[in-house]
Amino acid sequence: MIYLIGWLLVYYYLAVRLLVRHRARLLALAVLLLLGGLAIFRGQVGTDTFAYEKAVFDPERMTGIEPGFQLVIFLLKSLIADPVFVVRGITAIFTLLICWFVWQADDDELFFVMAFVVPIFFYAFSMNVLRVGIASAIFLIALQLDRKKENRKAVMLAFVSVLFHYSMIFAILYLWLVDERIAGKYRVFGVFSVIVIVLLLVVLNEAYFVTKFQNYAVIEPPGMLSGLSRVVLCVILLGGAWFSSLPRPEIHRLVLWTLFFMGVFWGITRVSYAGLRMLDLLVFVLAVAIMRAYGRTAQPVDRSVRASWLLAGVIGAAGVYRNMLQESFWSPSPWLPYHTVFDR
């Protein structure tokens, strides 16, 4: 029930925003701080929470983990002796990064994060996939800088996000492929560079990637319908872009590359849960790409795109809650029942 209250607060903010015709930034920050408090003071709640608590003071479990995340863990451990509160410190950092984005956001960015990002991703990023959460929050700030034409800072932060989760390499590749300013030969060079970087990461962190592969291999592959909700979200986002005023070549590239990667990742779900994680990332980076396209054209976001964010947010939130209910029976730190860290 407490998760539903969190979502209701988000939609209360959106309703107030619509009624008063004002971005209501302070109300958005208040909602985010309440959601952040829910995540920071959780007990053993959230799929990966238990695993992170076990890994904090175990060098073997931390082997191969992204260097940026390891640095944050090291700094938190130097201040906090309890692994439970070290993990909660990571959640606090994520919450502050999202609040920073909101504080600096223009009207379109604020609607984007509250209507789309928070309903679908906030609980997972703050209570489950913590490395992806930090990486994604940094990537959002990079998007913000890109929209302000601070390109060098944006590129630097985008690559910093990779230091918190290697999968952000795909996000950078995707944005490179759909960028209308990138000519053919440079596009090929970008793809080649990303492949080289991925190979170097695999070579330098072989033990980590072998372990991840083995972990996914022992889990029964998802069913035929697994990942369908992510595909639906991608289709909704593409639909909003299709009826927008964005340049047609831009839209065509978005559709082409999204459908391509959707097919690849859907195929991966037939043999591994890694495909589901990549579909989640595709949903996130597609929305980021659409926001970035509006930044390049220097025009306000169309109603069709705003409507697609709102619809995707509602459907995505429903899917998240459904997964929470299903997971309660097998995870060592299930989403339900929710309890606080002080109840342990």
Side-chain angles (χ1 to χ4, degrees), residues 9 25-35:
L9 287 173
R25 189 193 310 275
L26 292 179
L27 178 58
L29 286 171
V31 171
L32 288 175
L33 289 174
L34 287 171
L35 290 174

Side-chain angles (χ1 to χ4, degrees), residues 171-190:
I172 295 172
L173 171 63
Y174 179 91
L175 293 183
W176 181 274
L177 290 171
V178 302
D179 193 330
E180 64 176 357
R181 298 168 296 180
I182 307 299
K185 63 179 181 180
Y186 295 109
R187 200 181 301 277
V188 173
F189 175 75

Side-chain angles (χ1 to χ4, degrees), residues 24-237:
R25 189 193 310 275
L26 292 179
L27 178 58
L29 286 171
V31 171
L32 288 175
L33 289 174
L34 287 171
L35 290 174
L38 182 72
I40 292 168
F41 295 109
R42 73 189 187 278
Q44 279 198 1
V45 176
T47 310
D48 291 344
T49 295
F50 178 79
Y52 276 111
E53 291 174 1
K54 289 294 184 183
V56 165
F57 286 95
D58 187 343
E60 184 176 344
R61 290 174 182 262
M62 293 295 291
T63 301
I65 294 294
E66 292 82 356
F69 191 78
Q70 290 209 41
L71 176 61
V72 169
I73 290 291
F74 173 79
L75 294 175
L76 289 173
K77 286 197 303 184
S78 67
L79 300 172
I80 306 170
D82 189 335
V84 171
F85 287 101
V86 170
V87 173
R88 302 316 180 272
I90 299 167
T91 297
I93 292 171
F94 166 77
T95 302
L96 290 174
L97 288 172
I98 294 296
C99 286
W100 175 260
F101 178 91
V102 166
W103 183 253
Q104 298 292 321
D106 61 25
D107 185 64
D108 288 332
E109 291 166 353
L110 186 52
F111 185 84
F112 168 66
V113 77
M114 295 302 292
F116 176 78
V117 176
V118 173
I120 300 177
F121 297 108
F122 191 92
Y123 286 137
F125 285 174
S126 62
M127 303 167 69
N128 181 11
V129 286
L130 302 183
R131 289 177 294 148
V132 178
I134 297 289
S136 298
I138 294 172
F139 205 78
L140 284 175
I141 296 173
L143 164 70
Q144 202 169 56
L145 292 171
D146 182 78
R147 285 170 52 84
K148 294 177 180 178
K149 310 304 180 185
E150 299 182 39
N151 299 328
R152 290 185 179 180
K153 291 181 181 179
V155 170
M156 181 188 70
L157 269 187
F159 279 98
V160 167
S161 72
V162 177
L163 301 179
F164 288 85
H165 204 274
Y166 294 134
S167 65
M168 301 309 291
I169 284 286
F170 165 73
I172 295 172
L173 171 63
Y174 179 91
L175 293 183
W176 181 274
L177 290 171
V178 302
D179 193 330
E180 64 176 357
R181 298 168 296 180
I182 307 299
K185 63 179 181 180
Y186 295 109
R187 200 181 301 277
V188 173
F189 175 75
V191 174
F192 176 77
S193 299
V194 168
I195 292 173
V196 170
I197 292 172
V198 170
L199 291 175
L200 285 174
L201 289 174
V202 172
V203 170
L204 294 174
N205 296 278
E206 181 180 359
Y208 169 76
F209 286 102
V210 168
T211 301
K212 294 295 287 184
F213 177 80
Q214 291 173 340
N215 289 342
Y216 281 121
V218 298
I219 300 175
E220 183 180 350
M224 284 298 295
L225 297 181
S226 294
L228 181 61
S229 61
R230 283 80 161 180
V231 171
V232 169
L233 296 182
C234 285
V235 171
I236 291 171
L237 294 175

